[in-house]
């Protein structure tokens, strides 16, 4: 079987039967930056895996206009996991941050694999666990640390290949989007960036925060965790 041009890493260790069924059941779809194409109704019928680009999901307080980004999905990420598992609408908002190419699968087909394919479960449930751990970390950091401390941690996680949802996340991400990841607002984030820059820990450019003293940043992060 000739593999599609959208072959994904998730299927590297599955058997040929599941791989063939997976590709036969899916189709590639594309969405432009700035669109919000994923409605609650759509996500009750379709499941998506990101092939290219970035898609964020977030909540917003319409009285204050404050946003909290929950996830920024990139290659290999799947959504909506909650609707997949409980068959209920998930009231979150999606936005395409970068032109995106996704795999679209019938959600009932994915549920069938969960019930009948140990190989699929071996791929799917570790991913689900990583989502749960990410949300636990997000709740902890927003509750216990200030914006500068959260930024320091995020900058280090951005370099850590073990951090599935944060590794290489900040590439081409605006300060506005970074602030929403941290549960803050842009002017507070930019003040924190300035303090780190004044301390010689980071350098900044257009949509880019570069660590200039990794050792000192690691030391600052360690002190934060010991507080």
């Amino acid at each position: 079987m000739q593999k599609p041009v959208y072959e994904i890493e998730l299927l590297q260790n599955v058997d040929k039967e599941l791989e063939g069924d997976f590709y036969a059941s899916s189709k590639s779809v594309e969405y432009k930056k700035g669109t919000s194409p994923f409605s609650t109704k759509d996500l009750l019928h379709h499941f998506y895996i990101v092939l290219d680009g970035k898609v964020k999901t977030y909540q917003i307080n319409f009285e204050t206009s404050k946003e909290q980004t929950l996830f920024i999905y990139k290659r290999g990420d799947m959504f909506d996991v909650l609707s997949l598992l409980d068959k209920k609408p998930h009231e979150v908002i999606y936005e395409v941050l970068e032109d995106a190419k996704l795999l679209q699968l019938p959600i009932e087909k994915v549920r069938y694999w969960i019930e009948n394919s140990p190989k699929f479960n071996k791929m799917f449930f570790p991913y689900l666990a990583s989502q749960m751990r990410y949300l636990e970390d997000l709740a902890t950091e927003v509750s216990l640390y200030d914006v500068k401390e959260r930024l320091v941690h995020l900058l280090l996680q951005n370099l850590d290949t073990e951090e599935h949802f944060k590794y290489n996340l900040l590439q081409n991400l605006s300060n506005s989007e970074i602030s929403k990841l941290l549960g803050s607002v842009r002017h507070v984030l930019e003040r924190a960036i300035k303090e780190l820059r004044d301390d010689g820990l980071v350098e900044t450019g257009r949509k880019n925060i570069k660590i200039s003293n990794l050792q000192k940043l690691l030391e600052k992060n360690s002190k934060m965790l010991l507080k």
Side-chain angles (χ1 to χ4, degrees):
M1 180 187 71
Q2 185 176 2
K3 295 181 180 179
V5 294
Y6 52 70
E7 177 186 357
I8 56 176
E9 295 82 356
L10 285 169
L11 299 179
Q12 283 180 347
N13 297 314
V14 304
D15 57 56
K16 295 298 181 183
E17 182 178 357
L18 174 59
E19 183 183 54
D21 193 17
F22 186 94
Y23 284 128
S25 302
S26 64
K27 69 175 183 178
S28 176
V29 294
E30 298 184 13
Y31 298 102
K32 291 294 186 181
K33 176 181 177 180
T35 59
S36 302
F38 310 104
S39 67
T40 300
K41 183 177 179 181
D42 173 52
L43 292 170
L44 290 175
H45 299 284
H46 298 112
F47 191 71
Y48 292 92
I49 301 177
V50 180
L51 298 174
D52 195 21
K54 290 178 181 175
V55 178
K56 78 167 180 175
T57 179
Y58 65 99
Q59 292 279 20
I60 185 170
N61 183 325
F62 288 102
E63 292 184 1
T64 64
S65 296
K66 184 176 179 181
E67 293 183 22
Q68 173 64 60
T69 297
L70 301 174
F71 291 98
I72 294 181
Y73 296 117
K74 53 189 187 301
R75 182 173 175 83
D77 284 323
M78 310 180 225
F79 64 92
D80 186 304
V81 168
L82 284 184
S83 293
L84 170 70
L85 295 176
D86 66 12
K87 302 183 181 181
K88 296 178 182 179
H90 187 194
E91 300 296 340
V92 292
I93 306 168
Y94 289 86
E95 180 184 343
V96 179
L97 292 181
E98 296 177 359
D99 289 355
K101 180 183 291 186
L102 314 175
L103 282 188
Q104 183 189 77
L105 297 116
I107 203 164
E108 289 300 331
K109 188 67 174 181
V110 182
R111 290 189 182 117
Y112 172 84
W113 290 329
I114 290 174
E115 293 176 1
N116 296 281
S117 174
K119 289 286 188 180
F120 182 83
N121 288 338
K122 191 174 181 180
M123 171 186 74
F124 176 75
F125 282 106
Y127 178 81
L128 176 61
S130 69
Q131 275 203 349
M132 295 170 65
R133 187 177 296 276
Y134 169 87
L135 288 175
E136 180 182 43
D137 290 345
L138 176 63
T140 299
E141 292 201 0
V142 170
S143 299
L144 300 182
Y145 302 115
D146 65 29
V147 172
K148 184 165 74 171
E149 291 168 333
R150 300 203 295 273
L151 175 61
V152 167
H153 199 195
L154 179 60
L155 288 170
L156 293 173
Q157 290 173 316
N158 184 66
L159 300 177
D160 187 350
T161 57
E162 298 299 316
E163 291 285 348
H164 176 87
F165 288 103
K166 294 182 179 178
Y167 174 63
N168 207 24
L169 178 63
L170 301 182
Q171 183 180 9
N172 296 323
L173 215 57
S174 68
N175 285 351
S176 178
E177 292 297 342
I178 295 173
S179 69
K180 294 167 188 174
L181 268 174
L182 297 175
S184 185
V185 292
R186 179 172 177 169
H187 74 272
V188 175
L189 170 71
E190 290 181 342
R191 184 166 64 241
I193 293 172
K194 182 179 184 303
E195 291 174 6
L196 294 178
R197 188 171 60 236
D198 291 346
D199 289 340
L201 300 178
V202 301
E203 301 172 1
T204 56
R206 186 177 182 274
K207 290 190 176 182
N208 184 38
I209 305 174
K210 181 181 178 181
I211 296 174
S212 53
N213 193 322
L214 179 58
Q215 185 57 43
K216 282 191 175 181
L217 203 66
L218 287 167
E219 291 171 2
K220 182 176 281 290
N221 187 60
S222 296
K223 291 177 182 177
M224 175 188 81
L225 296 175
L226 292 173
K227 285 173 60 177

